[in-house]
Amino acid sequence: MKDTQRIAPKSSDPVVRHAAQLLSGVFERNLGLTVPVDAAAAGDKVIAVGVEPMRDERMSRIRIRTKSISIAGATPREAAQGCYRLEDLLTAGDGALETGERTFTRMFSPRMTHSSVALDKFPDDELDRIARAGMDAVLVYVGKSPDMTRNGRIDMNDLVRRAETRGLDVYVYAFDAEGATRCDPTAPDAIEQYDRLYGSIVKNAPGVKGMVFVGESVAFPSKLPDMGGYYWNREKGKHAFGFWPSPDWVDWLEVVKKATRKYRSDFDIVFWTYNWFNAPETNRVALLEKIPTDVSVLVTFEMGDGFGRYKGVPIQIDDYSISRPGPSRVFESEAEVLARRGIRFYSMANTGGRTWDFGGAPYEPAPYLWLERFRALRAAQGTYGLAGLMDSHHFGWNPGVVAELAKEAFTRENSDADVDARLFDIAARRFGREAAPKVLVAWRDWSEAMRLHAADSCDQYGPLRVGPSYPFTFPGEALPPKPSGKWMFLRKDYQLPLWR
């Protein structure tokens, strides 16, 4: 590699040019080599980066010859991914590369994530990290106004532009629950209401790819007799708005489609079934049998198996846990309907490495459980056509063991055995080849221990999820006042679930 002198982007696309610059930085930072970008370079001692037709739209290819390297992708985004794959090869060992050709096909799209820096904050280097991890979309909470996130106001169009340069889409997570309570999809002016609530977000930033809608954040005032109130004022004996698969979600989806797609015809409406995972299967399936086929559906991968035991230990975890790799029966029952109806669907899988088991941890070092989930997700694509993933929710993701394994696992050319073997390479790079076997033993023990995790409650409220903000006291000291009496899980009379 010391003979290589230039990186030559053979495309004027800004995604390709940016990836070439990042690759140049890797040579300098990691290998101490100066390999500048020169679009006019040709012949030997050149790394050429371009776009070529390929058999899959998410494929990239690297050809390593004795005196030159060529990188190509089916699209500019995949050409950039080819550059990132070369970075992986360069930084995995001593920088020596074997001659030959390899292809890399990303299995899932979108792979969307929140930020690892701070909620809704995406500086340029964070966008670079996300693209290098093999993800292709960022996720931003937006509500109240088209530029207002849960962490302050941002310029959405600027985020879209900077994300596009890295080959990333921008998805919005709708979170204005209060605004949603005032929008009736059956009202004569329903389109105008939802235009102000959601259409305005797309109008403000038409480059936004799609929006995630989950019941608790978008619940509307249903007129059905068995529905009554929101989760903060639910009528006794009735289902809370947003927490039940009521058939009038079909009308709601039609209105939301009209309100958003008049600003972007291919806008991806992502309908998340999270809030009624504990409803009877007949009700959940009945709704999915009726929704329009031109929306996407998001199904959480491991939720819904309820209570259980592992080696005699009672386990009660409903919400975002790696202690159960999945899939749950809830996922399978909904995926069966979506596959049969030809509806594009994604899964909330936390495959960035963080769940609500340990919300404050950068990632959860239980790699053998993550490998089980990765294998199950790969199988779900083959069985049901699972198209995309939500890699994180709220807590974001972090570069680390889990994210590296996910990138390998979600590459079509890699077998399950290839991914398993990669775990040793990751351990060896971090701890040395001699120590790697001992590290794998520790990781296996931690993975087994994680199966025994029993949360503070089935929604993981408590110190593991909340982290350092949870009160920590020494023996004999009085507990501080609870943060807020309004939160249901802090009340002694609080009983789950809301939907019963």
Side-chain angles (χ1 to χ4, degrees):
M1 292 309 304
K2 292 184 179 180
D3 292 333
T4 302
Q5 295 180 341
R6 296 287 187 274
I7 300 172
K10 301 304 180 183
S11 169
S12 61
D13 190 282
V15 177
V16 177
R17 296 296 181 97
H18 182 73
Q21 291 290 347
L22 291 180
L23 181 58
S24 176
V26 168
F27 277 101
E28 183 172 358
R29 182 174 60 255
N30 292 73
L31 301 176
L33 301 175
T34 300
V35 185
V37 175
D38 180 359
D44 292 343
K45 302 180 182 180
V46 166
I47 300 176
V49 185
V51 179
E52 298 178 8
M54 295 189 181
R55 63 177 180 272
D56 191 291
E57 65 180 4
R58 291 201 292 273
M59 178 179 284
S60 59
R61 185 196 67 234
I62 300 176
R63 286 177 179 157
I64 301 175
R65 301 180 179 88
T66 304
K67 294 185 178 181
S68 65
I69 297 174
S70 66
I71 300 171
T75 65
R77 288 187 174 195
E78 298 312 322
Q81 286 297 316
C83 290
Y84 306 146
R85 298 286 185 169
L86 182 60
E87 291 182 12
D88 294 341
L89 296 175
L90 288 168
T91 57
D94 58 4
L97 301 175
E98 295 183 3
T99 58
E101 177 177 315
R102 289 189 64 182
T103 61
F104 306 87
T105 306
R106 294 195 285 179
M107 294 179 64
F108 296 105
S109 183
R111 284 189 62 194
M112 62 179 82
T113 181
H114 288 285
S115 173
S116 71
V117 175
L119 190 63
D120 299 330
K121 299 298 183 184
F122 291 95
D124 288 347
D125 56 354
E126 168 68 353
L127 295 174
D128 289 335
R129 283 190 292 269
I130 290 170
R132 282 168 155 153
M135 303 177 197
D136 65 354
V138 300
L139 190 58
V140 186
Y141 286 98
V142 174
K144 306 296 182 183
S145 67
D147 277 333
M148 182 57 71
T149 75
R150 294 182 73 169
N151 203 0
R153 192 176 300 277
I154 67 170
D155 185 336
M156 288 296 297
N157 288 290
D158 175 67
L159 175 58
V160 168
R161 177 188 58 78
R162 292 186 296 110
E164 286 179 344
T165 302
R166 278 89 180 164
L168 302 171
D169 291 319
V170 175
Y171 276 77
V172 163
Y173 183 105
F175 81 95
D176 186 4
E178 182 181 352
T181 65
R182 298 190 292 270
C183 292
D184 180 355
T186 65
D189 64 342
I191 299 297
E192 289 77 8
Q193 292 182 44
Y194 283 91
D195 187 0
R196 290 191 294 271
L197 187 63
Y198 304 128
S200 60
I201 297 172
V202 191
K203 181 181 180 181
N204 172 64
V208 168
K209 175 72 172 180
M211 193 178 307
V212 177
F213 298 94
V214 65
E216 65 193 62
S217 298
V218 301
F220 57 93
S222 172
K223 293 182 173 63
L224 298 181
D226 59 345
M227 305 295 296
Y230 298 89
Y231 59 85
W232 57 86
N233 65 352
R234 179 168 62 107
E235 297 178 32
K236 187 175 182 180
K238 293 188 177 184
H239 304 301
F241 300 150
F243 284 78
W244 187 257
S246 56
D248 49 0
W249 281 107
V250 177
D251 300 326
W252 179 89
L253 279 168
E254 292 293 348
V255 173
V256 170
K257 281 167 51 180
K258 293 175 183 177
T260 56
R261 288 182 177 165
K262 66 180 180 179
Y263 301 112
R264 177 171 178 162
S265 61
D266 64 344
F267 192 68
D268 192 8
I269 293 169
V270 184
F271 185 51
W272 194 359
T273 63
Y274 164 81
N275 279 116
W276 45 81
F277 72 92
N278 238 339
E281 185 172 315
T282 52
N283 296 80
R284 293 185 290 100
V285 167
L287 173 58
L288 295 180
E289 292 282 10
K290 295 178 181 178
I291 65 170
T293 58
D294 60 347
V295 301
S296 302
V297 175
L298 181 66
V299 184
T300 308
F301 198 63
E302 81 280 15
M303 288 180 69
D305 283 345
F307 302 90
R309 286 180 175 271
Y310 183 72
K311 294 186 175 181
V313 177
I315 306 296
Q316 178 193 356
I317 296 178
D318 288 337
D319 214 359
Y320 306 147
S321 176
I322 193 55
S323 65
R324 298 180 186 180
S328 67
R329 177 56 196 165
V330 170
F331 174 87
E332 292 174 331
S333 64
E334 296 185 2
E336 288 166 3
V337 179
L338 299 168
R340 174 167 45 79
R341 296 195 64 207
I343 296 175
R344 181 177 174 85
F345 77 103
Y346 317 137
S347 184
M348 164 54 180
N350 285 300
T351 34
R354 305 177 76 177
T355 70
W356 286 8
D357 296 307
F358 297 93
Y363 60 87
E364 290 158 31
Y368 289 96
L369 290 183
W370 288 111
L371 287 172
E372 285 188 40
R373 178 164 295 179
F374 299 157
R375 285 193 287 269
L377 289 165
R378 287 165 61 106
Q381 182 170 89
T383 303
Y384 305 112
L386 174 64
L389 302 174
M390 182 186 281
D391 282 276
S392 72
H393 178 52
H394 193 89
F395 286 117
W397 76 293
N398 266 85
V401 174
V402 182
E404 288 185 44
L405 281 175
K407 183 176 180 178
E408 297 295 324
F410 302 148
T411 300
R412 194 174 304 280
E413 287 81 358
N414 292 336
S415 67
D416 289 345
D418 293 331
V419 181
D420 291 350
R422 182 76 175 116
L423 185 57
F424 177 87
D425 297 335
I426 292 172
R429 189 169 74 249
R430 283 169 165 74
F431 302 99
R433 297 191 71 83
E434 290 187 6
K438 296 179 180 179
V439 172
L440 295 186
V441 171
W443 279 345
R444 192 174 291 280
D445 286 345
W446 290 349
S447 300
E448 177 67 11
M450 194 63 216
R451 295 185 191 274
L452 300 169
H453 171 49
D456 180 67
S457 77
C458 63
D459 276 331
Q460 283 99 309
Y461 295 107
L464 297 183
R465 171 174 169 183
V466 178
S469 65
Y470 199 82
F472 178 82
T473 59
F474 289 100
E477 291 185 357
L479 287 173
K482 293 177 179 178
S484 171
K486 73 176 182 178
W487 294 108
M488 296 170 294
F489 54 87
L490 295 174
R491 296 203 310 257
K492 291 182 178 180
D493 62 344
Y494 174 57
Q495 293 182 344
L496 277 174
L498 287 166
W499 40 85
R500 290 178 185 167

